[in-house]
């Protein structure tokens, strides 16, 4: 079954600290993997996208990694800010118009 | 550009009522999508459109209808609302339907059916 599982479900960190969010997928065939950020009450916004041949991609303080062999991805946030408080959604693709969304990790950054 | 806009932001319906969720985009994107997001679950595709006059079912189309008369607008119609349709609905658009193409999402409509 094509699935995307994210961990942890929720996370609280202090401002300035780093954190890593995990994503495991069982999607096949696999095309690419994307991380979205979703602020409360807003729609998701794309952070990074990686194809199966890429193993890392950065966007400012956000760095995503991909291990296509183990079917795992992570999103590392460096020097967290209060504005990083949001849900982070891992999305994989089996191809054209076939996106599979994870349930997300809810991150709270406290001062 | 306003991007993808959705109205209303919130709505409460009684069982059996009907309503239309509005979605518009001003980026001249060919592809448009409707998703629903239930608590603790990933987004599920309801319907999508590859251009004006062309629509197709997604993963969870039952209880919904769509139309695409213009490139800009993609309304979602709920007939005979049921409690199971309580959810947050997101409209999105993209230039192409390729999985590497970024989908741009609207702010969502929170619907409660009582």
């Amino acid at each position: 079954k094509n699935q995307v599982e994210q961990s942890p479900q929720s996370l609280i960190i202090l401002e300035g600290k780093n954190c890593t969010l995990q994503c495991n997928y069982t999607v096949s065939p696999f095309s690419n993997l994307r991380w979205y950020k979703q602020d409360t009450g807003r729609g998701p916004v794309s952070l990074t996208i990686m194809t199966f041949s890429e193993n890392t991609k950065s966007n400012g303080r956000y760095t995503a990694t991909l291990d296509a062999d183990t079917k795992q991805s992570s999103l590392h946030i460096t020097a967290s800010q209060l504005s990083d408080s949001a849900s982070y959604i891992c999305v994989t693709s089996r191809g054209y118009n076939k996106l599979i969304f994870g349930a997300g990790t809810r991150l709270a950054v406290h001062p | 550009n306003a991007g993808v806009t959705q109205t209303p932001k919130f709505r409460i319906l009684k069982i059996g009522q009907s309503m239309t969720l509005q979605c518009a985009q001003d980026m001249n994107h060919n592809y448009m999508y409707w998703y629903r997001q239930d608590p603790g679950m990933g987004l599920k595709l309801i319907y999508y459109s590859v251009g004006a006059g062309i629509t197709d079912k997604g993963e969870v189309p039952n209880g919904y209808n769509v139309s695409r008369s213009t490139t800009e607008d993609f309304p979602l119609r709920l007939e005979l609302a049921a409690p199971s349709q309580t959810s947050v609905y997101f409209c999105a658009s993209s230039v192409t339907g390729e999985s590497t193409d970024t989908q741009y999402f609207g702010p969502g409509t929170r619907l409660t059916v009582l």
Side-chain angles (χ1 to χ4, degrees), chain A residues 2-46:
Chain A
N2 293 302
Q3 285 187 316
V4 175
E5 296 186 353
Q6 295 186 242
S7 62
Q9 280 189 320
S10 61
L11 181 63
I12 300 174
I13 62 173
L14 293 177
E15 186 179 14
K17 297 296 186 183
N18 303 334
C19 68
T20 300
L21 315 180
Q22 301 290 343
C23 173
N24 295 336
Y25 62 92
T26 58
V27 173
S28 181
F30 172 79
S31 175
N32 57 74
L33 186 142
R34 191 187 296 266
W35 284 91
Y36 278 93
K37 178 186 180 187
Q38 184 177 18
D39 292 316
T40 301
R42 308 288 292 271
V45 175
S46 180

Short mmCIF file of all heavy atoms in Angstrom, two decimals, chain A residues 2-46:
data_model
loop_
_atom_site.label_atom_id
_atom_site.label_comp_id
_atom_site.label_asym_id
_atom_site.label_seq_id
_atom_site.Cartn_x
_atom_site.Cartn_y
_atom_site.Cartn_z
N ASN A 2 0.52 2.23 -0.82
CA ASN A 2 1.31 3.45 -0.90
C ASN A 2 1.01 4.34 0.29
O ASN A 2 -0.11 4.80 0.46
CB ASN A 2 0.98 4.19 -2.19
CG ASN A 2 1.43 3.42 -3.40
OD1 ASN A 2 2.60 3.11 -3.54
ND2 ASN A 2 0.49 3.09 -4.27
N GLN A 3 2.02 4.54 1.12
CA GLN A 3 1.84 5.33 2.32
C GLN A 3 3.01 6.24 2.58
O GLN A 3 4.14 5.98 2.14
CB GLN A 3 1.66 4.40 3.53
CG GLN A 3 0.32 3.72 3.63
CD GLN A 3 0.17 2.96 4.92
OE1 GLN A 3 1.08 2.27 5.34
NE2 GLN A 3 -0.98 3.07 5.55
N VAL A 4 2.71 7.31 3.32
CA VAL A 4 3.74 8.22 3.80
C VAL A 4 3.50 8.40 5.30
O VAL A 4 2.41 8.81 5.70
CB VAL A 4 3.65 9.59 3.09
CG1 VAL A 4 4.64 10.56 3.70
CG2 VAL A 4 3.90 9.44 1.60
N GLU A 5 4.50 8.08 6.10
CA GLU A 5 4.37 8.20 7.54
C GLU A 5 5.42 9.18 8.07
O GLU A 5 6.59 9.07 7.72
CB GLU A 5 4.52 6.84 8.21
CG GLU A 5 3.40 5.88 7.81
CD GLU A 5 3.44 4.57 8.57
OE1 GLU A 5 4.41 4.35 9.32
OE2 GLU A 5 2.50 3.77 8.43
N GLN A 6 4.95 10.07 8.93
CA GLN A 6 5.83 11.09 9.46
C GLN A 6 5.95 10.96 10.97
O GLN A 6 5.00 10.59 11.65
CB GLN A 6 5.31 12.49 9.12
CG GLN A 6 5.32 12.78 7.64
CD GLN A 6 4.95 14.22 7.33
OE1 GLN A 6 3.95 14.49 6.67
NE2 GLN A 6 5.76 15.15 7.83
N SER A 7 7.12 11.31 11.47
CA SER A 7 7.34 11.30 12.91
C SER A 7 8.29 12.44 13.29
O SER A 7 9.13 12.85 12.47
CB SER A 7 7.91 9.96 13.36
OG SER A 7 9.17 9.73 12.75
N PRO A 8 8.14 12.98 14.51
CA PRO A 8 7.02 12.69 15.41
C PRO A 8 5.74 13.37 14.94
O PRO A 8 5.77 14.16 14.01
CB PRO A 8 7.51 13.31 16.73
CG PRO A 8 8.35 14.47 16.29
CD PRO A 8 9.04 14.02 15.02
N GLN A 9 4.64 13.08 15.61
CA GLN A 9 3.38 13.75 15.27
C GLN A 9 3.45 15.22 15.65
O GLN A 9 2.92 16.08 14.94
CB GLN A 9 2.21 13.10 16.01
CG GLN A 9 1.71 11.83 15.38
CD GLN A 9 0.42 11.35 16.02
OE1 GLN A 9 0.28 11.44 17.24
NE2 GLN A 9 -0.50 10.86 15.22
N SER A 10 4.08 15.49 16.78
CA SER A 10 4.24 16.87 17.23
C SER A 10 5.55 17.01 17.97
O SER A 10 6.11 16.03 18.47
CB SER A 10 3.06 17.29 18.13
OG SER A 10 3.00 16.47 19.27
N LEU A 11 6.03 18.25 18.03
CA LEU A 11 7.35 18.53 18.59
C LEU A 11 7.37 19.95 19.13
O LEU A 11 6.85 20.86 18.48
CB LEU A 11 8.40 18.36 17.49
CG LEU A 11 9.87 18.58 17.82
CD1 LEU A 11 10.32 17.54 18.84
CD2 LEU A 11 10.71 18.48 16.56
N ILE A 12 7.94 20.11 20.30
CA ILE A 12 8.13 21.44 20.89
C ILE A 12 9.60 21.67 21.10
O ILE A 12 10.29 20.83 21.69
CB ILE A 12 7.39 21.57 22.24
CG1 ILE A 12 5.89 21.35 22.07
CG2 ILE A 12 7.64 22.95 22.85
CD1 ILE A 12 5.12 21.31 23.38
N ILE A 13 10.11 22.78 20.59
CA ILE A 13 11.52 23.12 20.79
C ILE A 13 11.63 24.58 21.20
O ILE A 13 10.70 25.37 21.02
CB ILE A 13 12.37 22.87 19.52
CG1 ILE A 13 11.89 23.76 18.36
CG2 ILE A 13 12.34 21.40 19.13
CD1 ILE A 13 12.78 23.67 17.14
N LEU A 14 12.78 24.93 21.74
CA LEU A 14 13.03 26.31 22.11
C LEU A 14 13.63 27.07 20.94
O LEU A 14 14.39 26.50 20.14
CB LEU A 14 13.96 26.38 23.33
CG LEU A 14 13.39 25.84 24.64
CD1 LEU A 14 14.43 25.90 25.74
CD2 LEU A 14 12.13 26.62 25.05
N GLU A 15 13.29 28.33 20.86
CA GLU A 15 13.82 29.20 19.83
C GLU A 15 15.34 29.13 19.79
O GLU A 15 16.01 29.14 20.82
CB GLU A 15 13.37 30.64 20.10
CG GLU A 15 13.72 31.63 19.02
CD GLU A 15 13.21 33.02 19.35
OE1 GLU A 15 12.82 33.25 20.51
OE2 GLU A 15 13.18 33.88 18.45
N GLY A 16 15.89 29.01 18.57
CA GLY A 16 17.33 28.94 18.40
C GLY A 16 17.87 27.52 18.30
O GLY A 16 19.00 27.33 17.84
N LYS A 17 17.07 26.54 18.74
CA LYS A 17 17.51 25.15 18.67
C LYS A 17 17.27 24.56 17.28
O LYS A 17 16.46 25.08 16.49
CB LYS A 17 16.77 24.31 19.71
CG LYS A 17 17.05 24.74 21.15
CD LYS A 17 18.50 24.56 21.52
CE LYS A 17 18.74 24.86 23.00
NZ LYS A 17 20.18 24.74 23.36
N ASN A 18 17.96 23.46 16.99
CA ASN A 18 17.78 22.72 15.75
C ASN A 18 16.80 21.58 15.97
O ASN A 18 16.61 21.12 17.11
CB ASN A 18 19.10 22.15 15.25
CG ASN A 18 20.16 23.21 15.06
OD1 ASN A 18 19.85 24.38 14.82
ND2 ASN A 18 21.41 22.80 15.17
N CYS A 19 16.21 21.10 14.88
CA CYS A 19 15.35 19.91 14.99
C CYS A 19 15.34 19.18 13.66
O CYS A 19 15.66 19.75 12.62
CB CYS A 19 13.93 20.27 15.42
SG CYS A 19 12.99 21.20 14.20
N THR A 20 14.97 17.90 13.73
CA THR A 20 14.88 17.07 12.54
C THR A 20 13.57 16.32 12.53
O THR A 20 13.20 15.68 13.51
CB THR A 20 16.04 16.06 12.48
OG1 THR A 20 17.28 16.78 12.46
CG2 THR A 20 15.94 15.20 11.24
N LEU A 21 12.87 16.42 11.41
CA LEU A 21 11.60 15.73 11.23
C LEU A 21 11.81 14.57 10.26
O LEU A 21 12.60 14.69 9.32
CB LEU A 21 10.55 16.70 10.66
CG LEU A 21 10.47 18.09 11.32
CD1 LEU A 21 9.38 18.92 10.66
CD2 LEU A 21 10.26 17.98 12.81
N GLN A 22 11.09 13.47 10.50
CA GLN A 22 11.31 12.27 9.72
C GLN A 22 10.12 11.93 8.83
O GLN A 22 8.96 12.22 9.18
CB GLN A 22 11.57 11.08 10.64
CG GLN A 22 12.78 11.24 11.55
CD GLN A 22 14.09 11.20 10.79
OE1 GLN A 22 14.17 10.76 9.65
NE2 GLN A 22 15.15 11.70 11.44
N CYS A 23 10.42 11.29 7.71
CA CYS A 23 9.39 10.85 6.78
C CYS A 23 9.79 9.50 6.19
O CYS A 23 10.91 9.37 5.66
CB CYS A 23 9.21 11.88 5.67
SG CYS A 23 8.10 11.38 4.33
N ASN A 24 8.94 8.50 6.34
CA ASN A 24 9.16 7.19 5.73
C ASN A 24 8.06 6.96 4.71
O ASN A 24 6.89 7.24 4.98
CB ASN A 24 9.13 6.08 6.79
CG ASN A 24 10.27 6.20 7.77
OD1 ASN A 24 11.30 6.77 7.49
ND2 ASN A 24 10.06 5.65 8.96
N TYR A 25 8.41 6.43 3.57
CA TYR A 25 7.41 6.21 2.54
C TYR A 25 7.53 4.82 1.98
O TYR A 25 8.60 4.21 1.97
CB TYR A 25 7.52 7.27 1.44
CG TYR A 25 8.83 7.26 0.69
CD1 TYR A 25 8.98 6.51 -0.47
CD2 TYR A 25 9.90 8.02 1.14
CE1 TYR A 25 10.18 6.51 -1.16
CE2 TYR A 25 11.10 8.02 0.46
CZ TYR A 25 11.24 7.27 -0.69
OH TYR A 25 12.43 7.26 -1.36
N THR A 26 6.38 4.32 1.50
CA THR A 26 6.35 3.01 0.87
C THR A 26 5.80 3.12 -0.53
O THR A 26 5.31 2.14 -1.09
CB THR A 26 5.51 2.02 1.69
OG1 THR A 26 4.18 2.55 1.81
CG2 THR A 26 6.10 1.79 3.06
N VAL A 27 5.84 4.34 -1.08
CA VAL A 27 5.27 4.60 -2.40
C VAL A 27 6.12 3.95 -3.48
O VAL A 27 7.34 4.05 -3.48
CB VAL A 27 5.19 6.12 -2.64
CG1 VAL A 27 4.76 6.41 -4.07
CG2 VAL A 27 4.24 6.75 -1.65
N SER A 28 5.44 3.30 -4.42
CA SER A 28 6.13 2.69 -5.55
C SER A 28 5.22 2.71 -6.77
O SER A 28 4.03 2.40 -6.65
CB SER A 28 6.53 1.26 -5.21
OG SER A 28 7.21 0.66 -6.30
N PRO A 29 5.71 3.06 -7.92
CA PRO A 29 7.05 3.58 -8.17
C PRO A 29 7.20 4.99 -7.61
O PRO A 29 6.23 5.71 -7.44
CB PRO A 29 7.12 3.59 -9.70
CG PRO A 29 5.70 3.79 -10.13
CD PRO A 29 4.87 3.04 -9.13
N PHE A 30 8.43 5.36 -7.29
CA PHE A 30 8.71 6.64 -6.66
C PHE A 30 9.24 7.62 -7.68
O PHE A 30 10.11 7.29 -8.48
CB PHE A 30 9.73 6.42 -5.54
CG PHE A 30 10.24 7.70 -4.94
CD1 PHE A 30 9.48 8.39 -4.01
CD2 PHE A 30 11.49 8.20 -5.29
CE1 PHE A 30 9.95 9.56 -3.45
CE2 PHE A 30 11.97 9.37 -4.73
CZ PHE A 30 11.20 10.05 -3.81
N SER A 31 8.70 8.84 -7.67
CA SER A 31 9.14 9.85 -8.60
C SER A 31 9.94 10.94 -7.91
O SER A 31 11.06 11.27 -8.33
CB SER A 31 7.95 10.46 -9.33
OG SER A 31 8.35 11.52 -10.15
N ASN A 32 9.35 11.55 -6.88
CA ASN A 32 10.05 12.62 -6.17
C ASN A 32 9.42 12.81 -4.80
O ASN A 32 8.36 12.24 -4.50
CB ASN A 32 10.00 13.93 -6.96
CG ASN A 32 8.59 14.36 -7.26
OD1 ASN A 32 7.86 14.82 -6.40
ND2 ASN A 32 8.17 14.21 -8.52
N LEU A 33 10.08 13.61 -3.97
CA LEU A 33 9.59 13.86 -2.62
C LEU A 33 9.71 15.34 -2.34
O LEU A 33 10.71 15.97 -2.66
CB LEU A 33 10.41 13.06 -1.59
CG LEU A 33 9.91 13.13 -0.14
CD1 LEU A 33 10.08 11.78 0.55
CD2 LEU A 33 10.61 14.22 0.64
N ARG A 34 8.65 15.87 -1.75
CA ARG A 34 8.59 17.30 -1.48
C ARG A 34 8.22 17.52 -0.02
O ARG A 34 7.47 16.73 0.56
CB ARG A 34 7.53 17.95 -2.37
CG ARG A 34 7.53 19.45 -2.38
CD ARG A 34 6.33 19.98 -3.18
NE ARG A 34 6.37 19.64 -4.58
CZ ARG A 34 6.86 20.43 -5.53
NH1 ARG A 34 7.38 21.59 -5.22
NH2 ARG A 34 6.81 20.06 -6.81
N TRP A 35 8.74 18.58 0.57
CA TRP A 35 8.34 19.03 1.90
C TRP A 35 7.57 20.34 1.76
O TRP A 35 8.01 21.25 1.06
CB TRP A 35 9.55 19.24 2.80
CG TRP A 35 10.15 17.97 3.32
CD1 TRP A 35 11.15 17.23 2.76
CD2 TRP A 35 9.78 17.28 4.53
NE1 TRP A 35 11.43 16.13 3.53
CE2 TRP A 35 10.61 16.14 4.63
CE3 TRP A 35 8.85 17.52 5.54
CZ2 TRP A 35 10.53 15.24 5.70
CZ3 TRP A 35 8.77 16.63 6.60
CH2 TRP A 35 9.60 15.49 6.67
N TYR A 36 6.42 20.37 2.45
CA TYR A 36 5.60 21.58 2.51
C TYR A 36 5.57 22.11 3.94
O TYR A 36 5.62 21.33 4.89
CB TYR A 36 4.16 21.28 2.10
CG TYR A 36 3.87 21.24 0.62
CD1 TYR A 36 3.93 20.04 -0.08
CD2 TYR A 36 3.50 22.39 -0.07
CE1 TYR A 36 3.64 20.00 -1.43
CE2 TYR A 36 3.20 22.35 -1.42
CZ TYR A 36 3.27 21.15 -2.09
OH TYR A 36 2.97 21.11 -3.44
N LYS A 37 5.43 23.42 4.06
CA LYS A 37 5.17 24.06 5.34
C LYS A 37 3.75 24.59 5.33
O LYS A 37 3.34 25.26 4.37
CB LYS A 37 6.14 25.21 5.58
CG LYS A 37 5.91 25.95 6.90
CD LYS A 37 6.82 27.17 7.01
CE LYS A 37 6.58 27.90 8.32
NZ LYS A 37 7.31 29.19 8.39
N GLN A 38 2.98 24.28 6.39
CA GLN A 38 1.61 24.76 6.48
C GLN A 38 1.41 25.52 7.77
O GLN A 38 1.35 24.93 8.85
CB GLN A 38 0.61 23.60 6.38
CG GLN A 38 -0.84 24.06 6.36
CD GLN A 38 -1.83 22.92 6.20
OE1 GLN A 38 -1.51 21.76 6.42
NE2 GLN A 38 -3.04 23.24 5.78
N ASP A 39 1.30 26.83 7.67
CA ASP A 39 0.98 27.64 8.84
C ASP A 39 -0.47 27.42 9.22
O ASP A 39 -1.31 27.10 8.37
CB ASP A 39 1.22 29.12 8.54
CG ASP A 39 2.69 29.44 8.35
OD1 ASP A 39 3.51 28.94 9.15
OD2 ASP A 39 3.03 30.18 7.40
N THR A 40 -0.77 27.63 10.50
CA THR A 40 -2.13 27.43 10.99
C THR A 40 -3.11 28.29 10.21
O THR A 40 -2.89 29.50 10.06
CB THR A 40 -2.21 27.76 12.49
OG1 THR A 40 -1.30 26.91 13.20
CG2 THR A 40 -3.61 27.55 13.02
N GLY A 41 -4.16 27.67 9.69
CA GLY A 41 -5.18 28.40 8.96
C GLY A 41 -4.78 28.81 7.56
O GLY A 41 -5.48 29.62 6.94
N ARG A 42 -3.71 28.26 7.06
CA ARG A 42 -3.24 28.60 5.71
C ARG A 42 -3.06 27.33 4.89
O ARG A 42 -3.09 26.21 5.40
CB ARG A 42 -1.90 29.35 5.79
CG ARG A 42 -1.89 30.53 6.71
CD ARG A 42 -2.68 31.70 6.15
NE ARG A 42 -2.06 32.28 4.98
CZ ARG A 42 -1.17 33.26 5.02
NH1 ARG A 42 -0.77 33.74 6.18
NH2 ARG A 42 -0.67 33.75 3.91
N GLY A 43 -2.87 27.50 3.59
CA GLY A 43 -2.59 26.37 2.74
C GLY A 43 -1.11 26.02 2.76
O GLY A 43 -0.28 26.85 3.13
N PRO A 44 -0.76 24.79 2.36
CA PRO A 44 0.65 24.38 2.34
C PRO A 44 1.46 25.19 1.33
O PRO A 44 0.95 25.57 0.27
CB PRO A 44 0.58 22.91 1.92
CG PRO A 44 -0.81 22.48 2.20
CD PRO A 44 -1.66 23.69 1.99
N VAL A 45 2.74 25.41 1.67
CA VAL A 45 3.67 26.12 0.80
C VAL A 45 4.89 25.24 0.61
O VAL A 45 5.45 24.74 1.59
CB VAL A 45 4.08 27.48 1.40
CG1 VAL A 45 5.15 28.14 0.53
CG2 VAL A 45 2.87 28.39 1.54
N SER A 46 5.31 25.06 -0.63
CA SER A 46 6.43 24.17 -0.92
C SER A 46 7.75 24.72 -0.38
O SER A 46 8.06 25.90 -0.54
CB SER A 46 6.53 23.97 -2.44
OG SER A 46 7.61 23.11 -2.75
#
